[in-house]
Amino acid sequence: MTPPANDAGTRPAPPATNQLAPRRGGESDPDRAGAEHTEARRAAVADARQERSARIAVAVFPLIMFAAFLAAFFLPDTFVPLSNYMTPLLAVTMLGMGMTLSVPDFTMIARHPVPVVLGVLSQFSVMPLVGWTVAHLVPLPDELKVGIILIGCVPGGTTSNVCSFLAKGNTALSVSMTALSTMLSPVVTPLLTLWLAGTYMEVPAGSMALSIVQIVLLPVGAGLLLNMFAHRQVARVQPIMPWVSVIAIAGVVAAVVSRSQALIATAGLLMFVAIAIENAIGYGLGYAVARLIGVSRRDRRTISIETGLQNAGLGSTLAATYLSAAVAAPCAVATFWHTITGSVLAMYWRLRGFPEGEDPLATVRQLRERAAVSD
């Protein structure tokens, strides 16, 4: 930043000797200030680019998903062959997720375990029970009930990270929660599905667990290793990976819808209602749990989004592979519905901002202590 000019006709006082001495490494104050200013401008440009990309993503991604749904619903025969490629399509998506991860995303779990662990516990307790409750209350065929339950049992997806960023939430917490829930999913998702949906139909939990390892953990791990050891090459393709992922998930949606078009046509309205209720309650209870455990307002927004917005694309693939196309139908609908609601919620919170005078990084306990001191 340029220092202010001296008043006209005023002779500046001679600077002190230590002010004239160059900084360590031969760098003077103006040079240092100029470098800091340049770095700040670069950071501002990068933030603006990230903001623009996130806004485009949450605006366009739901449209792509919805277009895939409509196309497969009205032209099912065209998209039925995609059902043979659902596993590799999901694996591509998981590879893209892994390429966005880094070691610090996992070390944050060790450095700040409370919000991450409690957030994941909320996700794997609130959503499965909400899904089970909604499935019991809404009169749907048994296969669709299993699909509603399965939506609640899968981990979070990368869309939640974008939505958390736009909502002015804690993006680092969002990424860590997604990573941890994904790592736990080979064990937790099959067991929860077996426990809550096993009365409706046979659930091959062991086969599902092995499949999650193959199509989720291995691609995510490969993407993480690529980002660690070939970071420059990965950085070049990272900007297009979200688009590759969303096209792959759109292919999964189209494959599922094309195979269950008749069922969606007959039970579609009630199925939409059940998915919408499950999703809305997930956001609400996720925020309530986060408020109860006393985390900051930023973390509350993140845990709410992570709880309500699930990796329904994984549910679609698991259901189509091990259960039935009918079970996969609710997951396919939830894939684009969660993206829409997550985007709307994120933009609402972004426009609303935070209460005036409140530190969004402060926990509930810290805010109470500060209020007590001020009184």
Side-chain angles (χ1 to χ4, degrees), residues 289-372:
V289 169
R291 177 67 175 78
L292 185 64
I293 62 180
V295 298
S296 69
R297 194 174 291 270
R298 283 184 67 203
D299 289 356
R300 281 178 245 164
R301 293 183 177 187
T302 297
I303 292 175
S304 170
I305 291 172
E306 284 288 333
T307 301
L309 208 161
Q310 304 291 83
N311 187 353
L314 172 61
S316 299
T317 303
L318 292 175
T321 304
Y322 296 105
L323 301 171
S324 71
V327 175
C331 299
V333 174
T335 300
F336 72 82
W337 180 254
H338 284 196
T339 309
I340 293 171
T341 59
S343 304
V344 171
L345 180 60
M347 294 311 298
Y348 166 75
W349 267 331
R350 186 169 194 83
L351 295 174
R352 182 181 179 184
F354 297 102
E356 186 176 355
E358 179 183 309
D359 180 5
L361 302 179
T363 64
V364 173
R365 181 178 180 180
Q366 290 171 336
L367 291 175
R368 288 174 178 168
E369 290 175 349
R370 293 173 187 177

Side-chain angles (χ1 to χ4, degrees), residues 1-7 12 19 28-34 37:
M1 181 178 295
T2 305
N6 294 292
D7 292 337
Q19 290 178 317
S28 64
D29 279 342
D31 292 338
R32 185 179 182 183
H37 181 63

